[in-house]
Amino acid sequence: MGLTTIPQQTPLMEESAQQEQNTTVSSSYSRFKRVCVFCGSSAGKRDSYSDAAIELGQELVARGVGLVYGGGSIGLMGLVSQTVYRGGGHVLGIIPRSLMGKELTGETVGEVKAVANMHQRKAEMARHSDCFIALPGGYGTLEELLEVITWAQLGIHDKPVGLLNVDGYYNYLLTFIDKAVDDGFIKPSQRHIIVSAPTAKELVQKLEEYVPVGGELAKNMWEVEQQQQQQLVGFNTTTALQTEVALS
């Protein structure tokens, strides 16, 4: 009987195997199925913003986490969605019908869900997500970010909210929030609703370890009040505002 020769692993083979093992381990332990990413439909003027969007997409793929976003295919929105999609991850884009012609340009990837309006868009993005991350962006990004922070403050949801603070982009926002805490407009405990980090890997790891600030009681009370108000005014159950109740 002849001897079987076992080929020796080269350094490149060992590195590839280690990367595959790290990906398997990280994805197995992620607490999130889907992460909602808020970001600009512009790429911004710094290459670091585009790099951060790509790195975030790669980090989600490595952890086996799907992407929920605003449905555009240009700017940072396009970069993060294309990175996740090409990496084999699930991508869900949610966009109002009135914006589809303006935002959906270039290559559209993943699943696209059209909704009636902006309110329903945000509610659906929240409902389908386990976590929120904001990349650099403009008015729309800031509005979406502050709304989910407010929902957490009110106890409507307990999902982590993260800022990818690329090159200090959100430093002034964080300074403003600290000022609001100092002047008594935000409780010190609620300052910790927001998690921030300069890199995607560090931010996602912090979000994995996040412990919610709010409680279930406030969430339940809010839902009951909303249902009572809707019954009084004959609110249609298919409207966007009621969709916002079912965030978890």
Side-chain angles (χ1 to χ4, degrees):
M1 181 182 295
L3 296 177
T4 301
T5 302
I6 301 176
Q8 293 184 345
Q9 282 193 333
T10 65
L12 182 60
M13 292 169 62
E14 292 177 354
E15 181 180 355
S16 176
Q18 184 63 45
Q19 289 177 347
E20 182 177 352
Q21 180 179 3
N22 291 341
T23 299
T24 302
V25 171
S26 60
S27 64
S28 299
Y29 286 93
S30 178
R31 61 185 282 195
F32 309 124
K33 291 183 179 180
R34 294 174 294 269
V35 169
C36 178
V37 175
F38 305 130
C39 58
S41 57
S42 168
K45 293 184 177 180
R46 297 189 183 187
D47 292 339
S48 57
Y49 300 149
S50 296
D51 293 340
I54 294 171
E55 289 169 5
L56 177 58
Q58 292 172 339
E59 185 66 20
L60 296 181
V61 170
R63 291 176 180 264
V65 178
L67 170 70
V68 178
Y69 78 117
S73 60
I74 56 177
L76 300 187
M77 299 171 72
L79 288 174
V80 68
S81 62
Q82 290 161 10
T83 301
V84 173
Y85 183 78
R86 291 170 182 170
H90 182 263
V91 176
L92 173 61
I94 300 175
I95 186 168
R97 293 183 182 88
S98 62
L99 295 181
M100 292 184 71
K102 299 177 181 178
E103 287 188 14
L104 288 182
T105 58
E107 182 184 6
T108 301
V109 298
E111 178 183 356
V112 178
K113 182 174 182 179
V115 294
N117 51 51
M118 294 294 287
H119 293 292
Q120 189 177 5
R121 178 199 214 180
K122 291 182 291 183
E124 286 294 295
M125 290 170 72
R127 186 171 69 86
H128 285 283
S129 304
D130 305 309
C131 173
F132 306 95
I133 292 177
L135 280 160
Y139 288 137
T141 301
L142 193 60
E143 188 267 343
E144 291 168 330
L145 170 67
L146 291 177
E147 184 155 27
V148 295
I149 291 172
T150 303
W151 287 346
Q153 181 186 39
L154 296 174
I156 296 171
H157 73 79
D158 58 3
K159 302 174 182 180
V161 181
L163 286 178
L164 189 46
N165 194 19
V166 185
D167 287 346
Y169 182 81
Y170 283 112
N171 282 353
Y172 289 116
L173 174 62
L174 294 171
T175 298
F176 163 76
I177 293 171
D178 289 335
K179 175 65 173 176
V181 172
D182 291 341
D183 286 1
F185 291 101
I186 297 175
K187 295 179 180 179
S189 62
Q190 294 170 343
R191 169 63 177 84
H192 302 292
I193 289 172
I194 308 169
V195 176
S196 66
T199 67
K201 183 176 290 292
E202 183 180 350
L203 178 61
V204 174
Q205 186 57 42
K206 283 186 175 183
L207 293 169
E208 294 273 11
E209 299 166 357
Y210 174 82
V211 178
V213 175
E216 190 68 20
L217 178 61
K219 176 183 174 182
N220 290 338
M221 290 177 61
W222 187 88
E223 290 179 348
V224 170
E225 290 175 358
Q226 290 298 305
Q227 291 169 0
Q228 290 175 343
Q229 290 178 11
Q230 290 161 11
Q231 289 173 357
L232 289 174
V233 299
F235 212 77
N236 192 312
T237 58
T238 62
T239 58
L241 288 178
Q242 186 166 25
T243 307
E244 291 180 3
V245 174
L247 294 177
S248 61

